[in-house]
Amino acid sequence: MSDAIRHVCGISGGKDSSALAIYLRDVVPEMEYFFCDTGAELPETYEYLNKLEIVLGQPITRINSDKGFDHWFEVFRGALPSPQMRWCTRYMKIKPLEAWLGDDQAISYVAIRSDESNRKGYVSKKPNIKAVFPFVEDDIDKDGVMKILGDAGLGLPSYYEWRTRSGCYFCFYQRKAEWVGLAEKHPELFERAVAIESKVLTGAGDGVDANYQANAMEGRDYTWSPGESLPDLLARKEEILERHELAMERESQKRQNIPLFEVLSSALNEEDDDPGCVVCSI
């Protein structure tokens, strides 16, 4: 255990945490930037991290779980992670982070914006880790975040063209239009997600813990997307995209002269307003 206080800022690969890293770059020169790497991130996320490192002028530490998804999938007896049972977040992000920090006294800078101050980020229960919220304290909202990224010449991650959250390629928080986007942009990753899901659907999930089944959302214990398998979802591709395009058109008419990303975000929220996992996506 070190007597010095460590200053740490987690990067998810999303816009808010990246903007916070830039915002604090010259304010806290001793900052340690980190990224909890599950090994299942989108290629665009890794590309964005490389660009961010150039802007920051220092590396972003990659923190990896000592055991990957397949191990924990087996530990949880073939149960897919879900909003009610986010074992992927707990064992592939939070535990590796807490192991990296150990017993050191640390201040963790969390990228919750002032316009979402009621949203909760990851706050460790360990007494040696204190969370602070600079954007809330300094009244920086979404527009402020976009300005920080624009002024730094970084812009948004390229996955924002079809998806509005960072996180694993198989993230269960993806909306149906985003699953279609994954199939179109990264068909090999979509097929990997199908392969994981099919293990559950063909019997690998028979041993799922009873408490897990009692708490899981219907349809989520056996499929990534609520109520249907990924092959069934993709079979409805045209229907899903048609509904998505109509939602995009409605949002464009309601909110003119706004960035395409915000139109996409609003349209996807119309389809599914689940807030997602802040550990992975802020």
Side-chain angles (χ1 to χ4, degrees):
M1 179 177 176
S2 172
D3 292 332
I5 297 177
R6 295 173 66 179
H7 295 260
V8 300
C9 179
I11 311 294
S12 71
K15 68 183 190 311
D16 294 341
S17 60
S18 300
L20 181 63
I22 296 168
Y23 184 69
L24 297 172
R25 176 185 54 192
D26 300 322
V27 178
V28 188
E30 67 272 34
M31 184 73 77
E32 299 176 67
Y33 301 99
F34 69 87
F35 172 69
C36 293
D37 188 355
T38 64
E41 312 294 331
L42 293 169
E44 295 96 324
T45 298
Y46 294 120
E47 293 170 6
Y48 196 64
L49 291 174
N50 293 337
K51 293 178 182 179
L52 181 58
E53 284 181 322
I54 295 173
V55 173
L56 295 175
Q58 68 180 86
I60 298 168
T61 299
R62 268 64 163 183
I63 302 174
N64 297 95
S65 172
D66 59 346
K67 295 180 174 65
F69 178 88
D70 289 344
H71 167 81
W72 293 112
F73 184 57
E74 185 175 328
V75 167
F76 282 87
R77 302 165 70 185
L80 295 178
S82 75
Q84 286 70 36
M85 190 71 164
R86 292 181 293 175
W87 56 257
C88 51
T89 301
R90 180 63 190 162
Y91 290 95
M92 298 175 67
K93 287 182 177 281
I94 294 175
K95 278 189 171 292
L97 168 59
E98 292 183 343
W100 177 64
L101 289 173
D103 294 326
D104 293 344
Q105 295 294 316
I107 298 175
S108 175
Y109 296 77
V110 183
I112 299 294
R113 304 188 311 265
S114 62
D115 55 331
E116 55 176 12
S117 56
N118 60 334
R119 191 181 185 196
K120 302 297 182 184
Y122 162 64
V123 178
S124 175
K125 295 180 181 178
K126 296 186 67 175
N128 58 305
I129 304 174
K130 175 187 176 183
V132 296
F133 304 88
F135 282 167
V136 174
E137 295 169 2
D138 296 346
D139 196 25
I140 295 177
D141 58 10
K142 183 188 290 185
D143 289 341
V145 162
M146 298 298 287
K147 185 176 189 308
I148 291 169
L149 295 175
D151 290 348
L154 184 63
L156 295 170
S158 57
Y159 64 74
Y160 275 51
E161 296 171 4
W162 57 278
R163 171 173 162 161
T164 61
R165 299 167 181 161
S166 55
C168 298
Y169 67 85
F170 50 66
C171 183
F172 46 81
Y173 278 118
Q174 289 182 97
R175 289 80 155 206
K176 294 183 186 293
E178 291 174 309
W179 278 112
V180 171
L182 179 68
E184 292 183 336
K185 300 288 185 179
H186 301 291
E188 74 289 354
L189 296 182
F190 184 85
E191 288 306 316
R192 287 186 203 173
V194 170
I196 296 169
E197 181 184 75
S198 57
K199 289 181 182 179
V200 181
L201 293 173
T202 56
D206 289 348
V208 173
D209 181 86
N211 289 331
Y212 177 86
Q213 288 194 9
N215 292 322
M217 182 183 297
E218 182 180 356
R220 288 277 183 124
D221 14 354
Y222 301 112
T223 60
W224 288 118
S225 185
E228 63 184 339
S229 69
L230 292 184
D232 287 344
L233 183 154
L234 195 58
R236 297 194 305 108
K237 172 182 173 180
E238 298 304 323
E239 174 192 343
I240 291 170
L241 289 180
E242 182 179 355
R243 290 178 57 191
H244 179 62
E245 289 301 322
L246 288 173
M248 290 278 286
E249 184 178 342
R250 283 194 296 271
E251 290 302 321
S252 295
Q253 292 174 352
K254 284 194 298 185
R255 306 173 64 196
Q256 297 182 2
N257 300 318
I258 63 170
L260 178 61
F261 158 71
E262 291 193 30
V263 175
L264 174 62
S265 180
S266 296
L268 289 170
N269 284 341
E270 181 180 315
E271 300 169 36
D272 176 5
D273 61 359
D274 196 308
C277 176
V278 291
V279 174
C280 301
S281 62
I282 60 175

